[in-house]
């Protein structure tokens, strides 16, 4: 299909949307969270109810991706008024249809956050939960049907690819990404533009693009939601990357634990191929690119790029020493670009609106927005996207609605098993790469677990060390043996059997493991331990057996 | 725990011998002469060609063009078809991809998804990710063990129920989460899970 034919399709879809303006549209959140809370039955019942009342012509029911506040699911969003309903079940569908669609009056006591706020906002966008957020990567999640490419096309889908292919040279695309100052969203925060440039510079007849969707950090689920809620956005980002670096083949490595994400991404690939947005001569140009899905088999270490490459090659996922970096010698020895799902999701808006626009959001060193998965002892657990530099206090108390049962905030754990805990004293920390590192934590993939006083910090450190011990691939000694020794020492402290000598040894060993391990898993495994030691030392010391 | 890659997974002694015996497959026209030295080694059986599960694996092998790179993809297909990876199936895949048995065996034992033993007719997967941990996943595991006697990673004696732990299923907003036979139980309580499990294995 060439460019002209595609434009016709987009126009038809846009017209269809326009014809719908003024009409009601009910979006049913079909993200993994809401599906587990029963969104499927809700949607079926809703369709039946609308049919029974003969409103099919006036109302459109759309299954969408994640809307954010997973804890309150299943969720409904009624457009154009943005009236959102929470904890919808089959028994109150009838009431909602009656007042929302027939009487045209939102039903106040079922509105989103009706149980938390004195007066819930009719327009959900006015609620502090959404007001503080800025959605770029998640923008169309929760509005469009992820299973229809036409929906994506109507929401400026593939416009960025069109712009890149017809108006920009590969160098200009890379310059635009560099200008946006976006940094890798997988955790390490390496500038994406520089990465693209280095792969571009290696001359080879075959290069690869890999999308890292092996979201292993416990407590992070943003990649899952993006892949489930807007797979075409990631696909478009990968295509643009392929064009920029000169690759003709891409792989999306998605965790086996996410069957819905795999299904939707595979479906998106099929649809894109059908419209000529993937495959040979995309939009009639000389550029050819295709994507294959590879399913992860449940190894945390495969989030590390060299281990992920080994896994795509069908081997044990053990990391390799770098250099050579994948940019030089990656998949099957060819130059390979690896980016995270969230990074690819931000590419299309950057190309569409220009790098300048993106670089103005956030802080000077960390541009743009970051998706956080808010979970633990917090009222509004779910998925949020905020500009970099938003303080932890704003996230926890304004967006997150505070700690459950009005308990006191004790710590926030960021970055999963590679990150650390931020104590209450640092609630005003700006969430960006540098500030978090200065507190001994990392941004990581964006998991944010909130803890109250019921969480024992030594036990939390032990929990993460157990995780790293189990997930160590066993290749290098500092990690394989070190994590086990650290775990045993922590267990000893938890059992109130440790002495001061053990604590000293723990600290000493943690540094060795951190410095001597081959890859990021071992290199960051002691982080939770070191950061809890730094901020909650008294909890460790109170358990030490004293000699007299 | 499921198979633990740091070197302390449990492996039945007979299986170790069987794995050694895979090497004869490369010489399968003349089995046994070169490699089969152990008395316990049993040659892998030919798989019945009419079995739909075998057909599924054969189709996947063909689709992947018998490329050794596709090993993990093919193992996924086999694991989904059988629920675990029986040794005869592994032998079949090994032969078809012309891979050393050690390579297949090391890959299978590396990844949590692949299992050499049956996971049970019904499965109960308890998420022990951070959010679930903070919200009491341990209590659920303890309750299950107390009630059914099945420790995490184990299967009941009658193979009816297997209990596993997952690192994070990505349903952190609904913690603690438990997956019983593909169905996610959000904000689970120990009592609720015990009741569901008893219903599955027909205790009530």
């Amino acid at each position: 299909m060439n460019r002209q034919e595609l434009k016709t399709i987009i126009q038809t879809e846009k017209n269809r949307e326009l014809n719908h303006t003024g009409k009601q549209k009910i979006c049913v959140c079909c993200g993994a969270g809401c599906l587990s809370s029963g969104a499927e039955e809700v949607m079926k019942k809703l369709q039946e109810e609308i049919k029974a009342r003969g409103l099919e012509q006036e109302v459109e029911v759309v299954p969408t991706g994640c809307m954010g506040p997973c804890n309150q699911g299943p969720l409904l969003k009624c457009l154009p008024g943005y009236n959102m309903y929470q904890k919808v079940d089959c028994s109150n569908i009838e009431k909602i249809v009656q007042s929302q669609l027939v009487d045209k009056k939102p039903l106040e006591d079922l509105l989103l956050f009706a149980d938390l706020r004195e007066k819930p906002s009719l327009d959900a966008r006015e609620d502090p939960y959404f007001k503080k957020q800025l959605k770029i990567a998640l923008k169309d999640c929760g509005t469009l049907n992820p299973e229809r490419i036409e929906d994506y096309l109507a929401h400026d889908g593939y416009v960025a690819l069109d712009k890149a292919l017809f108006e920009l040279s590969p160098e200009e695309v890379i310059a635009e990404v560099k200008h946006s100052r976006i940094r890798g969203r997988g955790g390490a925060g390496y500038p994406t533009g520089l990465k693209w440039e280095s792969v571009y510079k290696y001359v080879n007849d075959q290069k690869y693009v890999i999308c890292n969707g092996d979201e292993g950090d416990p407590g992070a689920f943003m990649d899952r939601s993006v892949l489930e809620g807007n797979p075409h956005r990631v696909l478009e980002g990968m295509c643009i990357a392929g064009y920029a670096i000169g690759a003709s083949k891409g792989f999306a490595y998605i965790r086996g634990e996410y069957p819905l994400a795999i299904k939707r991404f595979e479906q998106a690939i099929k649809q894109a191929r059908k419209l000529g947005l993937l495959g040979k001569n995309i939009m009639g140009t000389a550029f050819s690119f295709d994507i294959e899905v590879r399913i992860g088999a449940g190894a945390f270490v495969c989030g590390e790029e060299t281990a992920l490459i080994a896994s795509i090659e069908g081997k044990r996922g053990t990391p390799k020493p770098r250099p050579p970096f994948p940019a030089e010698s990656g998949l099957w020895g060819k130059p390979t670009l690896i980016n995270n799902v969230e990074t690819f999701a931000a590419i299309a808006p950057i190309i569409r609106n220009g790098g300048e626009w993106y670089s103005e959001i956030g802080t000077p060193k960390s541009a743009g927005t970051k998706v956080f998965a808010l979970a633990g002892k917090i009222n509004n657990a779910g998925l949020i996207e905020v500009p970099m530099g938003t303080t932890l206090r704003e996230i926890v108390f304004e967006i997150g609605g505070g700690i459950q049962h009005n308990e006191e905030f004790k710590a926030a754990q960021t970055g999963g098993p590679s990150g650390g805990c931020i104590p209450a004293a640092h609630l005003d920390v700006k969430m960006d790469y540098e500030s978090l590192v200065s507190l001994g934590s990392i941004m990581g993939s964006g998991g944010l677990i909130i803890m109250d006083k019921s969480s024992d910090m030594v036990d939390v450190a032990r929990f993460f060390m157990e995780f790293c011990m189990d997930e160590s691939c066993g290749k290098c000694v500092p990690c394989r043996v070190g994590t086990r020794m650290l775990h045993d020492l922590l267990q000893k402290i938890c059992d109130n059997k440790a002495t001061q000598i053990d604590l000293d040894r723990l600290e000493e060993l943690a540094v060795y493991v951190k410095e001597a391990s081959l890859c990021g898993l071992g290199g960051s495994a002691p982080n939770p331990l070191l950061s809890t030691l730094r901020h909650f030392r008294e909890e460790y010391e109170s358990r030490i057996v004293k000699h007299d | 725990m499921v198979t633990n890659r740091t070197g302390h997974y449990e492996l039945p002694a007979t299986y170790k011998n069987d794995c050694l015996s895979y090497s004869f497959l490369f010489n399968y026209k003349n089995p046994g002469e070169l490699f089969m030295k152990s008395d316990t080694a049993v040659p892998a059986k030919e798989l019945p060609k009419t079995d739909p599960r075998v057909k599924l694996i054969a189709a996947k092998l063909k689709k992947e063009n018998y490329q050794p790179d596709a090993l993990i993809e093919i193992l996924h297909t086999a694991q989904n078809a059988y629920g675990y990876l029986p040794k005869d199936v592994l032998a079949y895949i090994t032969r078809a991809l012309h891979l050393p048995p050690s390579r297949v065996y090391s890959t299978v034992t590396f990844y949590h998804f692949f299992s050499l033993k049956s996971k049970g007719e019904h499965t109960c997967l308890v998420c022990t990710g951070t959010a679930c941990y903070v919200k009491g996943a341990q209590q659920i595991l303890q309750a299950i063990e107390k009630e059914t006697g099945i420790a995490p990673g184990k299967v009941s004696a009658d193979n009816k129920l297997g209990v596993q732990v997952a690192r994070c299923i990505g349903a952190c907003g609904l913690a603690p989460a438990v997956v019983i036979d593909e169905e996610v139980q959000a904000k689970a309580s120990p009592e609720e899970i015990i009741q569901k499990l008893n219903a599955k294995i027909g205790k009530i």
Side-chain angles (χ1 to χ4, degrees):
Chain A
M1 189 171 294
N2 64 28
R3 193 186 187 191
Q4 211 48 50
E5 286 167 307
L6 194 71
K7 288 217 158 144
T8 328
I9 296 183
I10 295 177
Q11 207 47 55
T12 335
E13 276 306 311
K14 283 209 162 145
N15 287 343
R16 206 181 70 89
E17 284 272 307
L18 274 180
N19 288 340
H20 258 285
T21 22
K23 285 186 194 167
Q24 292 264 12
K25 187 168 162 184
I26 301 187
C27 303
V28 185
C29 180
C30 288
C34 286
L35 280 182
S36 348
S37 320
E40 220 161 341
E41 290 103 76
V42 165
M43 182 150 137
K44 229 162 123 192
K45 174 90 184 161
L46 184 66
Q47 277 163 333
E48 276 166 22
E49 188 65 32
I50 288 173
K51 208 169 169 190
R53 287 168 188 261
L55 295 166
E56 293 135 297
Q57 293 304 313
E58 291 152 51
V59 189
E60 194 187 5
V61 179
V62 189
T64 72
C66 183
M67 293 178 183
C70 307
N71 198 21
Q72 321 287 349
L75 298 160
L76 291 187
K77 180 161 79 183
C78 305
L79 299 175
Y82 269 90
N83 311 123
M84 281 179 78
Y85 294 96
Q86 69 174 7
K87 295 179 184 156
V88 180
D89 60 34
C90 293
S91 61
N92 47 31
I93 285 280
E94 223 167 290
K95 272 198 288 185
I96 294 177
V97 170
Q98 175 65 32
S99 73
Q100 180 74 28
L101 300 177
V102 181
D103 308 340
K104 311 263 180 215
K105 230 181 91 197
L107 198 63
E108 284 207 20
D109 40 329
L110 283 176
L111 280 179
L112 185 61
F113 303 132
D115 45 357
L116 286 175
R117 316 252 190 260
E118 268 177 33
K119 195 173 163 23
S121 325
L122 288 182
D123 185 333
R125 287 171 299 182
E126 295 293 316
D127 191 274
Y129 180 83
F130 287 103
K131 220 171 177 182
K132 280 266 166 187
Q133 296 192 50
L134 175 66
K135 297 204 173 190
I136 294 176
L138 292 176
K139 182 163 179 287
D140 300 317
C141 274
T143 315
L144 52 77
N145 181 349
E147 304 203 353
R148 285 186 78 235
I149 190 170
E150 294 84 359
D151 266 29
Y152 183 62
L153 287 170
H155 286 84
D156 290 331
Y158 293 103
V159 168
L161 181 64
D162 181 282
K163 185 177 170 190
L165 288 180
F166 290 95
E167 292 167 32
L168 303 173
S169 67
E171 295 85 359
E172 283 168 328
V173 173
I174 293 172
E176 207 64 61
V177 175
K178 267 172 94 176
H179 192 62
S180 75
R181 296 189 297 117
I182 182 172
R183 296 168 64 173
R185 295 290 188 250
Y190 189 77
T192 306
L194 288 182
K195 209 181 211 176
W196 287 30
E197 195 176 48
S198 55
V199 187
Y200 170 76
K201 279 185 180 156
Y202 286 104
V203 183
N204 204 307
D205 52 348
Q206 177 72 64
K207 294 181 189 176
Y208 296 103
V209 175
I210 297 178
C211 173
N212 183 349
D214 192 55
E215 185 177 48
D217 280 7
F221 53 101
M222 58 284 296
D223 292 355
R224 169 187 203 159
S225 297
V226 172
L227 287 168
E228 286 175 2
N230 201 353
H232 283 287
R233 179 73 89 72
V234 181
L235 210 152
E236 187 180 3
M238 286 179 76
C239 272
I240 295 170
Y243 171 73
I245 65 160
S248 59
K249 176 104 195 155
F251 288 93
Y253 189 92
I254 306 175
R255 261 186 111 190
E257 283 89 340
Y258 296 169
L260 187 64
I262 295 166
K263 183 187 139 219
R264 291 211 173 135
F265 200 77
E266 278 179 341
Q267 197 174 25
I269 291 175
K270 269 189 206 145
Q271 291 167 342
R273 276 195 196 131
K274 215 168 160 192
L275 291 187
L277 293 163
L278 269 186
K280 281 216 157 68
N281 301 85
I282 293 173
M283 293 193 209
T285 61
F287 172 60
S288 301
F289 189 74
D290 208 348
I291 299 176
E292 239 179 76
V293 172
R294 285 289 157 111
I295 303 166
F300 173 68
V301 69
C302 288
E304 202 277 342
E305 51 185 19
T306 54
L308 189 146
I309 287 172
S311 183
I312 293 183
E313 291 173 353
K315 299 179 188 144
R316 284 165 73 96
T318 46
K320 284 187 205 143
R322 297 177 298 179
F325 285 91
E328 185 188 345
S329 165
L331 194 56
W332 293 297
K334 305 288 183 190
T336 306
L337 172 76
I338 303 189
N339 275 139
N340 177 260
V341 170
E342 205 190 321
T343 316
F344 279 124
I347 293 299
I350 289 174
I351 298 297
R352 209 163 56 217
N353 304 326
E356 183 75 36
W357 161 79
Y358 195 79
S359 71
E360 281 165 8
I361 305 165
T363 64
K365 279 199 170 161
S366 311
T369 56
K370 176 79 191 91
V371 182
F372 288 102
L374 212 50
K377 304 271 170 95
I378 190 150
N379 279 322
N380 306 336
L383 212 58
I384 60 162
E385 183 170 1
V386 289
M388 292 273 190
T390 306
T391 64
L392 183 59
R393 188 184 296 278
E394 284 173 286
I395 292 179
V396 173
F397 291 98
E398 291 179 44
I399 299 174
I403 313 297
Q404 275 181 342
H405 315 299
N406 280 324
E407 288 285 347
E408 203 179 316
F409 172 90
K410 182 171 180 185
Q413 209 283 338
T414 71
S418 323
C421 292
I422 302 172
H426 293 283
L427 257 175
D428 287 307
V429 63
K430 284 193 159 77
M431 300 295 272
D432 60 39
Y433 292 100
E434 277 74 24
S435 313
L436 288 177
V437 168
S438 72
L439 287 179
S441 185
I442 61 162
M443 175 78 83
S445 53
L448 199 54
I449 313 280
I450 309 299
M451 301 178 197
D452 64 9
K453 68 169 190 311
S454 67
S455 298
D456 168 1
M457 300 320 275
V458 185
D459 189 54
V460 167
R462 190 203 58 80
F463 166 78
F464 282 117
M465 197 51 73
E466 186 186 346
F467 180 91
C468 292
M469 180 180 84
D470 277 348
E471 293 295 334
S472 170
C473 78
K475 180 165 174 164
C476 72
V477 179
C479 175
R480 185 181 67 228
V481 182
T483 50
R484 161 137 286 238
M485 290 175 74
L486 286 174
H487 173 264
D488 291 351
L489 284 171
L490 282 167
Q491 186 68 56
K492 210 170 163 188
I493 299 177
C494 284
D495 296 343
N496 295 325
K497 286 180 185 157
T499 59
Q500 183 62 37
I501 300 170
D502 289 315
L503 190 59
D504 294 342
R505 187 170 292 156
L506 184 77
E507 264 181 289
E508 191 189 355
L509 194 59
V511 178
Y512 291 157
V513 172
K514 200 175 158 91
E515 297 292 322
S517 293
L518 171 64
C519 80
L521 194 157
S524 59
N527 280 357
L529 157 67
L530 289 171
S531 85
T532 45
L533 254 179
R534 178 172 159 189
H535 299 297
F536 299 94
R537 199 177 186 93
E538 65 288 351
E539 290 195 25
Y540 283 84
E541 280 169 350
S542 67
R543 297 186 175 201
I544 296 288
V545 182
K546 296 260 181 338
H547 290 286
D548 38 26
Chain B
M1 294 300 124
V2 201
T3 335
N4 182 323
R5 273 172 285 113
T6 45
H8 46 87
Y9 41 79
E10 287 165 40
L11 224 129
T14 51
Y15 207 92
K16 279 184 195 156
N17 290 332
D18 288 351
C19 282
L20 289 175
S21 75
Y22 283 171
S23 41
F24 82 89
L25 294 167
F26 293 98
N27 200 14
Y28 61 93
K29 276 182 191 154
N30 189 7
E33 274 189 23
L34 272 170
F35 299 97
M36 280 180 61
K37 289 189 180 136
S38 155
D39 295 339
T40 49
V42 187
K45 285 195 290 284
E46 275 286 326
L47 294 174
K49 291 209 170 56
T50 46
D51 189 333
R53 297 175 295 187
V54 179
K55 279 188 190 164
L56 213 64
I57 299 171
K60 183 74 181 170
L61 281 163
K62 203 173 169 196
K63 194 183 155 213
E64 299 286 350
N65 226 350
Y66 302 95
Q67 284 299 311
D69 295 338
L71 174 63
I72 293 177
E73 303 296 297
I74 291 152
L75 290 176
H76 268 299
T77 310
Q79 170 90 37
N80 285 344
Y82 286 85
Y84 71 110
L85 296 167
K87 63 168 189 180
D88 297 342
V89 174
L90 280 183
Y92 170 67
I93 295 172
T94 306
R95 198 161 50 209
L97 296 179
H98 293 282
L99 279 171
S102 61
R103 171 70 206 284
V104 176
Y105 182 70
S106 73
T107 309
V108 168
T109 50
F110 184 82
Y111 294 100
H112 289 313
F113 247 58
F114 304 132
S115 157
L116 295 168
K117 281 187 281 184
S118 167
K119 288 183 178 173
E121 273 171 55
H122 297 286
T123 56
C124 171
L125 182 77
V126 182
C127 180
T128 53
T130 325
C132 295
Y133 185 76
V134 169
K135 286 200 157 184
Q138 287 305 320
Q139 281 88 303
I140 296 180
L141 276 174
Q142 281 160 7
I144 294 174
E145 191 170 352
K146 202 173 154 213
E147 177 72 23
T148 63
I150 310 170
K154 297 272 190 273
V155 184
S156 63
D158 56 359
N159 199 30
K160 271 230 160 136
L161 180 70
V163 180
Q164 292 148 41
V165 289
R167 277 317 183 180
C168 180
I169 59 164
C172 314
L174 307 165
V178 177
V179 188
I180 298 177
D181 286 345
E182 318 258 301
E183 199 186 321
V184 182
Q185 311 290 328
K187 299 178 196 165
S189 70
E191 299 77 38
E192 202 186 333
I193 295 302
I194 297 294
Q195 199 191 345
K196 288 246 157 85
L197 286 182
N198 280 338
K200 283 274 178 198
I201 55 174
K203 256 195 174 170
I204 35 172

